Amino acid sequence: MSDTALTPATSITPDPAPSPQQASPIVPLNVVAVAALAVAFLSNIAGVILGILALREIRRTSERGQGLAIAAIIISVLSIVFSLLVALWLIAIGSITLDQIGQSLDRGGRIS
């Protein structure tokens, strides 16, 4: 056997619980990012603008909410693109319909 004995310095003790002073501070959520996400569903351009402003503010202040701001921008941009596609489709359909009406009237017939 060895003559080494356990001393209090080598004993295993659990770390004490962190005191309230050692706890990490709660980082606030950026209000502009929350507003950007809410507005993204109502006004596309305002959602993009608020999302960009929120990202700039988050980088400056290190607040939370970067994901919300990015989501607001993506939702707004996709909504703008979808609206433009629908508008173009409606214009195309309207143009075809007007051509059919004009051709029918040129033949002296009724609109079918």
Side-chain angles (χ1 to χ4, degrees), residues 17-69:
S19 65
Q21 293 86 10
Q22 292 176 347
S24 62
I26 297 174
V27 179
L29 184 62
N30 186 280
V31 177
V32 180
V34 175
L37 186 61
V39 169
F41 292 100
L42 304 174
S43 173
N44 304 331
I45 296 173
V48 171
I49 292 170
L50 283 176
I52 291 170
L53 290 175
L55 282 177
R56 292 176 70 191
E57 197 172 296
I58 288 167
R59 285 190 190 113
R60 185 175 45 84
T61 62
S62 299
E63 292 178 316
R64 296 179 305 137
Q66 183 176 9
L68 294 175

Side-chain angles (χ1 to χ4, degrees), residues 1 4-5 7-8 25 31 35 40 42 44 46 58-59 61-62 65 75 78 91 93-94 107-108 111:
M1 277 208 210
T4 43
T7 61
V31 177
L42 304 174
N44 304 331
I58 288 167
R59 285 190 190 113
T61 62
S62 299
I75 289 168
L78 288 176
I91 289 170
I93 293 298
R107 287 180 281 180
I111 299 173

